[in-house]
Amino acid sequence: MSVADKLGTGSSFRGAPRGRSARGRAKAVAQGDVPAYELLRLHLDEVAPTPLNPRRNFGTDEEMTRFGEELRQAQLAACVAVTRDAYLALWPDHEEQIGSAQHVLVNGERRYRSAAHVGLEALDFVVRDDLASSRERFINHLLKENLDREDFDVIERSRGVQQLVDVCAEKSERGARSRAAEQLGRDRSWVTNQLVLLELPEELQTMLSAGSLPERDGRYLARHLKENPGLDTAALLEHLKLEKAALAMSKEQEKAALEAARQAQTQKTLLSADNKLTGPDSSNSESTSTGAMGQPSSSAALSADNKPKGATGTGAVPKQQRSNGSAPPKITLEEPQQIARDLAQHLGQEQLAEVAQLLLKRVPPH
């Protein structure tokens, strides 16, 4: 059997024979010679779009004209349809909406509308009644084909998800969202986030479709509306405006706090370095450790606990030795003048001022 026989007729296969009779096709399918569906050339007036398509935006007149002219030159992808009988077996209440059409469009409505817009009479179709084996399968295929499209807007997608959840709920309402999520290959939370958008006022849904309201903001407003039922569009948008302003202010405050902390850390580092540089050097330590007669002075004759030499009978510990790994000297309250001298020797000017302020705070008022 030739390739033309397997593919059937259509404008893309000029010169191929006309399609088989129903009996011949059934025999070929049973023998495995051809797939269960073939490429057919159908007149547009033989086909009706399904009312279940969640897509509403098919482009501007200019876009449809351009796409229609491209289809006139070459149709790169076939439309997908089911027969009238297969469709009405699932949705008998749609008989009036599809009219006398012998086929119902499943995928390719933009191609269908663009072709009609420029006056084309026919397009290539694949008729797949296997997609109409159940309502769930039909809606699932209809929605999946659109989910990957960049021009499938947020609300159209939400409507399609709602349709799939509805048909899943016909078997059992319990777990309908989970079954819909499984069929779409998504999480249940994703399905829930799509459905909440349909609870927003119509004006906000229009803004979502147009892209002037981000989907994230739409979900936030839907949650706020659930907590505060009865709010209109103006109140919701005002709440969103105030919330964004508060968030921006909070971020600025956080940024300012981080900058202040960074500056404080830098200043602390500089002060520490400055205190090390301006502290007594080794020559000053030697000069203060001995008096004019070669005897230890009172300011340097401190024992390990800051007592004068005579109090302990031991010599003073020079600052150089204390800074070389020995423990810092202890300060007692026996001689205030000695404490002041010792603090002046080991602290910088700003640290001394801070200690003085702390001491003054502890002096009770008279």
Side-chain angles (χ1 to χ4, degrees):
M1 180 176 292
S2 68
V3 174
D5 287 335
K6 292 184 178 181
L7 292 175
T9 60
S11 61
S12 301
F13 306 97
R14 299 186 186 280
R18 300 296 299 177
R20 301 175 181 81
S21 65
R23 182 177 178 180
R25 182 174 180 279
K27 180 180 178 181
V29 170
Q31 293 174 345
D33 294 333
V34 296
Y37 45 88
E38 296 184 44
L39 190 68
L40 301 175
R41 188 73 171 175
L42 298 178
H43 286 275
L44 299 186
D45 56 8
E46 299 178 41
V47 183
T50 172
L52 298 169
N53 191 354
R55 192 175 185 184
R56 299 290 183 271
N57 180 17
F58 298 97
T60 64
D61 287 347
E62 181 180 353
E63 291 170 339
M64 292 177 68
T65 298
R66 182 170 59 251
F67 190 31
E69 292 302 328
E70 291 175 0
L71 290 171
R72 191 189 301 276
Q73 298 300 320
Q75 181 182 348
L76 301 180
C79 302
V80 180
V82 297
T83 61
R84 173 189 180 88
D85 292 341
Y87 184 82
L88 292 180
L90 297 179
W91 283 280
D93 54 324
H94 289 180
E95 183 173 8
E96 183 177 350
Q97 291 172 275
I98 66 173
S100 59
Q102 296 303 304
H103 297 86
V104 178
L105 188 64
V106 183
N107 296 141
E109 188 166 347
R110 181 168 176 258
R111 276 161 279 171
Y112 171 88
R113 290 178 177 271
S114 297
H117 185 71
V118 297
L120 295 183
E121 295 183 355
L123 285 175
D124 291 336
F125 284 81
V126 167
V127 179
R128 293 191 53 182
D129 280 355
D130 60 303
L131 298 178
S133 59
S134 69
R135 287 193 175 198
E136 284 189 25
R137 179 172 172 79
F138 186 92
I139 294 294
N140 183 38
H141 182 81
L142 178 66
L143 185 56
K144 274 187 173 180
E145 197 266 349
N146 282 304
L147 282 179
D148 296 332
R149 297 184 181 278
E150 294 182 359
D151 56 353
F152 194 43
D153 72 52
V154 176
I155 296 301
E156 289 178 342
R157 183 178 63 203
S158 297
R159 291 195 191 106
V161 173
Q162 181 66 69
Q163 287 178 345
L164 182 57
V165 171
D166 290 343
V167 296
C168 288
E170 292 176 355
K171 293 182 179 179
S172 172
E173 291 188 6
R174 184 179 180 85
R177 293 187 179 186
S178 297
R179 292 197 300 275
E182 183 179 356
Q183 291 196 31
L184 295 173
R186 306 293 180 111
D187 295 329
R188 187 182 184 281
S189 59
W190 181 87
V191 171
T192 300
N193 286 334
Q194 302 307 306
L195 300 183
V196 296
L197 299 178
L198 300 177
E199 299 174 8
L200 290 170
E202 191 68 30
E203 296 89 342
L204 292 180
Q205 292 189 32
T206 301
M207 293 174 64
L208 284 166
S209 292
S212 57
L213 179 66
E215 182 180 351
R216 180 179 58 183
D217 291 345
R219 292 198 301 268
Y220 170 77
L221 290 179
R223 290 193 299 269
H224 183 67
L225 181 61
K226 186 176 182 179
E227 297 170 357
N228 303 271
L231 295 180
D232 59 8
T233 299
L236 288 170
L237 290 177
E238 180 64 20
H239 173 76
L240 180 63
K241 179 181 177 181
L242 295 175
E243 188 67 20
K244 286 190 172 183
L247 181 61
M249 182 178 296
S250 176
K251 288 183 177 180
E252 287 297 325
Q253 291 174 346
E254 182 180 353
K255 182 179 179 181
L258 290 174
E259 180 63 21
R262 186 188 67 80
Q263 292 180 358
Q265 182 63 33
T266 302
Q267 186 177 10
K268 182 178 179 181
T269 303
L270 292 175
L271 286 174
S272 177
D274 184 62
N275 288 336
K276 290 180 180 179
L277 292 174
T278 59
D281 56 20
S282 59
S283 61
N284 290 337
S285 299
E286 292 177 359
S287 64
T288 57
S289 64
T290 58
M293 301 300 293
Q295 298 296 327
S297 65
S298 60
S299 62
L302 290 176
S303 65
D305 58 357
N306 279 345
K307 292 183 179 180
K309 176 181 178 182
T312 61
T314 59
V317 181
K319 184 180 178 183
Q320 300 95 314
Q321 297 179 17
R322 292 196 300 273
S323 62
N324 290 334
S326 61
K330 298 180 181 179
I331 299 176
T332 65
L333 298 178
E334 294 183 5
E335 296 185 13
Q337 292 183 356
Q338 179 59 44
I339 295 171
R341 283 193 295 271
D342 193 63
L343 289 174
Q345 182 179 355
H346 293 282
L347 299 179
Q349 183 176 0
E350 293 188 4
Q351 292 173 315
L352 284 172
E354 184 177 356
V355 170
Q357 291 179 359
L358 292 173
L359 291 173
L360 288 175
K361 290 181 180 180
R362 293 178 176 272
V363 176
H366 297 291

